[in-house]
Amino acid sequence: MSRYRFILYLLLLGFSTISVSAGNLSDELTDLIAAKKSSDIVKVWIKLYDVETSAEFKAKISSRSSALSDIHKSGIDRLKANHTDAQDELLDHLRAMTSNKQASVKSYKGHWIANIIEAEVSVEQLRQLERRSDIETIYSEPQIVSILPEQAVSISAKTAIVESNIQYINAPAAWSAGYTGQGRVVCSFDTGVDGLHPALFNNWKGHDGDSAAAWFDPASGESFPHSLDTLVVPLASPGHGTHTMGIIVGHDDATGDTIGVALDAKWISAGVIDIYGASIIDAFEWAADPDGDPNSIDDVPDVISHSWGVSDVGCDNIFFTIIDNVEALGIVNVFSAGNEGLQGAGTIRNPAVRANTNIDCFAVGNIDDSVGVIAQSSSLGPSSCNGATKPNVVAPGVGIRSAWPGGGYSELGGTSQAAPHVAGLVAMLRQRNPNATVDEIKQAILVSTNKLGRNLPDNTYGWGLIDCMAALNALSETNATPNIRVYSFDHDPISPGDEVVGTLVLQNLGAPATGVTATLVDHNPSLDIIAGLASFGAITTNEAATADVDFRVMVSDTVTEGSLLSLELNIDGDGYSTTTRLYFQIGPVSQRNFVTHDVGNIDFTISNWGTFGLGSDSYYPAGGVGFRYMGGSDEIFDGGLMIGVASDKVSDGVRNASSEPDGDFAVLPGGEMRFITPDDSITQQSWAVFTDARAENPIGLTIEQTSYAFNYEPYRDFIIIRYIIQNTGTAGLGNVYVGLNFDWDVIDWLYNAGGYSSAGEFTWVAYHSGTLFTQYRGVKLLHGLMNTAFTSPTDFAYCVPDSRGLPVDCYTSARKFAALTKGIASPVELETASDDLLQLLAARIPGMSVGETDTVAFALIAASTFTGIETVAERAYHAYVEFLHDGIPPEPPTPKTFALRQNYPNPFNSGTTILFNLPEYSNYTLTVYNVLGQKVREYKNADGPGEVMVTFDGGSLASGVYLYKLDAGNNTESKKMLLLK
C-alpha cells in the first residue's frame, strides 16, 4: 500500500459506519443507547487518557514552592497546556463532524481541569469514537442532583443568638481565639443564593467590583446572586443554596442573629445544581480561577461545599480526576454523604464514596446535636468501591435553622446541612495557615474529632464529630519549610570607586524562619566587602523584614561604567539555608534601559545591552516580563545576543563564568532603547545602538538593533529582531558568528525537549512529560548564512565545583565560541528528553573589512504544536521579506530535504496557502481530496530548488476535512486541513 493510500485509509476510517464492540463506552452509556436509533443524539463526557496522573501533577507543581500562590499559578498553566494540546486532534474531528451531512455532532466543549470533552453526538458517532486510541472511556452525561434534605419548616429570625449547632462544634471558642475566617473565601455549588439576604449580603465577595469572579450563573447570566429555577421542585429547591451558604458564613450584623461558622469569610457560589443545561465541569473550572487570571489568588476559594451526588455510576472515575486536580491547586472539597441511610450500609453516593485514603472525597455525615446520635437518614459506609471506612466525619444536620430566600429563615435537616459546617471550619484553618495544603487541613480535622465516647472510626460516624478549636490546635501555623528571597536592596546610584551603602530587605513566602542572617561572599575582584553580614531575626510567613545593619561594599575605580557586578549572598536560618546573588549596577544607568513588546500573542522584554527577558523568574530579574506566550508565565531564564570571532573574543549579553550578565555591550550616546513610530504594516518597533566596548577583549563592532511586533493575523506569534552590524575596529575580521542564546524554561524547566528543524531552519524547545509534547518555543534565522543550531543540557553553561569548592567549567568565552561554531549540533536524543536545555542559533558573516556593514535577523517564534511552530516560522520569514527588507528579498537558503508544510491559516474559511520545499528542480503535482477520496483540485508545475507556494481556494467547497498530497520525483507526502465556513 502506498503512503498516500495508507494515510487516506486512516482518514476515511474515522468516517466509517462499521459497528464494533463498545470497548470504550461505560456500562451506563451502553445500556442507554441500546434501544436508540443510530441518528439519535446523546449527551456524553469523553474522558481521554491522562497526560499525567493527578498524583504526578500534584507532586510537580508543589516541588518548587510551598507558597499557595506559586502552586496555583504553575498548576493552572500546566493543566491548560497538558489538556489543550492532548485534545486538539479529537476536537478537530468533532468540529468537522458538526458540519457533515448527518450532523453527527451537535455540540462539543473541551475542558482543561481534566482531560475531558463534553459533547452531544449521535449513536453512530459514538461507534466511531470508541475505536479511537486516545479515548479512555465515554460516559453518559451524569445526572447530578441535590442531596435533598427534609421538608423546609419556616421559622422566624432571632436576635443576638448563636444557634446550638454552631455551639456544638465549638465555633465560638475559635472566634474568641481570633479565627472567624477573616480574609478567606468559601464557595458552594448549589441551586443559587439569595444575595440580598441580610445574613449573607455583607459577606458576598462580589462587592469588591468583580461580580463575575463571585457568582457563576450559566442559566440566566445575571451578575448578582439569586435563587434559580430548578428541575427538582420538591423539598428544599430552590432555597437549598441559600440555606447551605447561611450555615457556612451567615450572620446578621444588625440583629446579631448568627447562623454560620466562618463569620468573616467572603463567599462566592456557582448556581449549577438541578439547573437545566449547567455544566459541573464549567463550575469547577470557574472556581479554580474565578477571575480568569492565574497570577492572582485572592479570588480563589479555600473550600467548595458540595451537596450533590450521582447514584448510578458506582465507583467510576468520572469526577475523581477533576476533584484531585482542583485540590492540587489548593482548594478543599467537602461533600454531603447522602440521605439514604434508611436503605442500609454502603449508601454513600459518587463522588463522596471514594476512599483510597482516609481523606479522599471528604464526606460528611449528619448527627442530631440535641442527642449526639447519628440521624437515621444519614448515608452509611463502608465505601462500595473498596470497603474502606466512610463517612470521614459528622456534623450537625437535624433541624438546622438557616437563611431562606426572601430574607427569611427555615429549618432543614440532612447531610446537605452537615457539610457546610465543615466548609466553614476550613476557612478558619486557612486563616490560621494561609499556605496549609489540602491534605494538612483534612488531617487536622480528622485527628481532632470528638469521638463521642465511641470506638471510632466506623461506618456510621466516621472519625467523629468535628471540633473547630481542636482542629485549629492540630494545624501548625507554619508550613514545612521557609522560602526566603531578596525583596529589595536600596542604595544610591553607583559610580566607579564608590562605596555602596545599601539596605537589604528579605521576604519569606514559606514557613516562619528564625535566626535569619544574610552574608555576602567575596568572589568578585571588582567588589570589596566592608560590611557583609546582616541579621533579620525571625521572619514569619509572607513577612518582609529589613536588615539590622546596612551592607557596605567598595567598588573598584577601574570598573567600566555600565558594568553589572554581583556577589554571592548566603541566606541562613535555624535549619534553613539557601544561596542567591546580589547585583550592583555601575552607572550611568540612564543609558541602559529596556522596552517590552506587548502586542500580538507574545509579551517580550528586550534591552540595549544584549540581554533578553529580565523577568522575575530569570537569573537577572531587572523588572522585565521575560517571554510570555498567550498570557502565560515567563519562559526565559537566560537569553541574549552573542557575537564571536575567536575563543578569546566573544561579546555577549548572557551570563558569564561568574553567573552574572556579561554586559559586554555599551550604549552609544543617543542610542538608548526606545519605541519608534513604525510603518503602517508594523504594530510596534523598538530601536537601539550599542557597541561591544565593555567586553574584556572587544571585537570592535557597532550594532544597530531593531525589533518588530505585529498585532494582526497571521503575524501575532513571533517577534523579529534585526541586527545591522558594522566593523568599527582598526582591522579586518575573518568569520563573524552572530547568534541568539536561550535557556528556555517552557512550563517546567525540568521537562523540556528540544532540537532543530532542518526543513524549517529553526531551533525549538517544548514541554515534554510522558507522551505529551506541547508549547513550542524557538528561534528562526531570517537573514544571514546559517551556521549553528546548538542544543545541549544546560550543564554546558553551568559551573561545577571542584573538590575544593571552586567553580570550574563555567560559561567561559571559550565555551561560548565553541557553541557559536558547533554547526548543526542538536542531538536527536534531546528531541525526546525531559531536561533543562540550552540553545544557540547562529549565523556566519564571512569576513568584514574595516567599515563594512552586514545584516543578521532572527524571529522568536511560539506555538502550541510542532506543526504550528513550523507555520509560524514560515510566516515570520514572509513578514520579514515583505515588510522589513526594503523590498529586496534576502536569498532563501536552498532546502536540503523535500518537505510539505502545514497549510496556513488552518482551519480556513475560503483561501489558504500551502508551502513546500524542493531540494532540486522537479516536476510536481499537488492534489486536494475530500474525505471520500474524491479529487477536488490538482496543481501541476515544475519548480525548484527552493520554496514553492500554492494558494488553494476552497470558496466553492463545503466545510469539512480535506487531504492534500504532494508528489515530486520519488517523494510523496500528505497532510490534512480543515475548511470551516
Side-chain angles (χ1 to χ4, degrees), residues 774-815:
T774 186
Q775 297 306 320
Y776 287 75
R777 311 291 180 255
V779 180
K780 162 77 173 174
L781 180 63
L782 302 177
H783 192 134
L785 297 175
M786 180 67 191
N787 186 76
T788 297
F790 175 59
T791 303
S792 167
T794 51
D795 293 349
F796 183 87
Y798 283 169
C799 300
V800 180
D802 64 12
S803 59
R804 299 168 297 164
L806 300 177
V808 295
D809 295 333
C810 299
Y811 213 13
T812 60
S813 178
R815 283 202 158 205

Side-chain angles (χ1 to χ4, degrees), residues 1-10:
M1 182 181 291
S2 71
R3 182 179 182 184
Y4 159 66
R5 289 180 180 176
F6 179 66
I7 294 173
L8 185 59
Y9 169 76
L10 291 177

Side-chain angles (χ1 to χ4, degrees), residues 51 74-88 112 635 746-747 767 772-775 777 864:
V51 176
S74 62
I76 293 286
D77 289 346
R78 192 180 186 96
L79 286 172
K80 289 182 176 179
N82 281 353
H83 298 145
T84 299
D85 287 341
Q87 296 169 18
D88 272 350
W112 56 264
E635 296 175 328
V746 181
I747 299 181
Y767 171 67
L772 174 68
F773 285 83
T774 186
Q775 297 306 320
R777 311 291 180 255
S864 60

